Amino acid sequence: MNHLTTLNTLNNHYFALRHGESVANQKGLIVSSPENGIKNYGLSETGQKQIRDSIEAFNTLNNKTRIISSDFLRTAESAQIAHQLLQAEREIQFSSLLRECFFGDHELKDNSFYQNVWDMDLQDSAHNNNNVESADAVLERTTSFIATLETNFKDEVFLLVSHGDALQILQTAFSKVPASTHRSLTHLQTAEIRELVLQN
């Protein structure tokens, strides 16, 4: 379910930040489970620099920005660098709703398996073949999170630090296109910041 479907305007401004290059990215591994991702596979040195460069080059964010991050190590480290550089006044909040899409039986396997899942997503956004988390399920949790922020806040700027697939699917909600089409949207590169704009 897309919790943004009925909204025509937003109370707040949202920016997505994909984490910088991680050790998992370097090794070409799929790391999507909390057991592996919360304490391990943080940012590489390149990833740390990517985040610093990205934050320093992006002029829209400031010390009033509210930073909310997935609790995985690679996103938490990205959020911490952003928090430090922005000199953000509020502490980082962490939410499991911003975690990466869970890739099930492909966990800790070569990242070439991503394409298999994406191909099936395009055919059926509700599929959970190989015990993966469906695109629909990711859409449900990420948009419910935005809907909660919309209810509880007004005129705030949020930086959502999350993962490639979770943010690709969240983007479909803002664009009001099916979750199955998430790979057709412009991909977020590592450490890229992108404003999430609600389409009517």
Side-chain angles (χ1 to χ4, degrees), residues 151-169:
T151 299
N152 294 332
F153 297 94
K154 188 174 178 62
D155 298 327
E156 296 286 352
V157 175
F158 289 95
L159 180 63
L160 308 176
V161 189
S162 187
H163 307 260
D165 276 68
L167 290 174
Q168 285 293 126
I169 293 168

Side-chain angles (χ1 to χ4, degrees), residues 21-159:
E21 181 192 71
S22 68
V23 173
N25 293 144
Q26 271 191 333
K27 294 184 175 181
L29 293 177
I30 295 175
V31 175
S32 63
S33 76
E35 290 76 15
N36 295 316
I38 288 178
K39 293 185 178 180
N40 301 299
Y41 298 99
L43 294 179
S44 66
E45 286 188 17
T46 297
Q48 294 172 30
K49 183 179 186 302
Q50 287 176 335
I51 293 290
R52 287 194 298 271
D53 291 347
S54 188
I55 293 293
E56 288 172 351
F58 202 82
N59 299 325
T60 307
L61 305 174
N62 58 38
N63 64 345
K64 304 290 186 186
T65 302
R66 290 181 177 269
I67 302 174
I68 308 179
S69 175
S70 156
D71 55 0
F72 278 30
L73 186 58
R74 57 191 184 264
T75 42
E77 290 178 349
S78 298
Q80 286 158 3
I81 293 170
H83 188 274
Q84 180 182 21
L85 290 176
L86 293 172
Q87 298 181 336
E89 294 178 353
R90 300 178 182 91
E91 292 185 2
I92 301 167
Q93 292 177 268
F94 294 94
S95 176
S96 61
L97 297 178
L98 294 177
R99 286 176 180 171
E100 178 61 296
C101 172
F102 177 54
F103 282 89
D105 299 342
H106 303 307
E107 182 72 5
L108 297 181
K109 292 184 179 177
D110 187 87
N111 62 12
S112 61
F113 284 97
Y114 282 136
Q115 191 64 53
N116 299 5
V117 178
W118 297 335
D119 290 344
M120 287 186 281
D121 285 349
L122 186 58
Q123 301 301 316
D124 177 13
S125 59
H127 89 87
N128 57 5
N129 296 355
N130 299 301
N131 297 306
V132 304
E133 181 183 14
S134 72
D136 285 350
V138 176
L139 184 74
E140 161 73 28
R141 63 174 166 88
T142 55
T143 61
S144 69
F145 184 67
I146 299 294
T148 298
L149 295 178
E150 282 294 288
T151 299
N152 294 332
F153 297 94
K154 188 174 178 62
D155 298 327
E156 296 286 352
V157 175
F158 289 95
L159 180 63

Side-chain angles (χ1 to χ4, degrees), residues 154-197:
K154 188 174 178 62
D155 298 327
E156 296 286 352
V157 175
F158 289 95
L159 180 63
L160 308 176
V161 189
S162 187
H163 307 260
D165 276 68
L167 290 174
Q168 285 293 126
I169 293 168
L170 178 58
Q171 283 187 107
T172 68
F174 279 83
S175 299
K176 296 189 176 177
V177 297
S180 60
T181 65
H182 66 92
R183 294 305 295 176
S184 69
L185 301 180
T186 304
H187 304 167
L188 279 152
Q189 302 302 314
T190 49
E192 181 180 346
I193 304 171
R194 184 178 297 172
E195 185 173 6
L196 299 173
V197 179

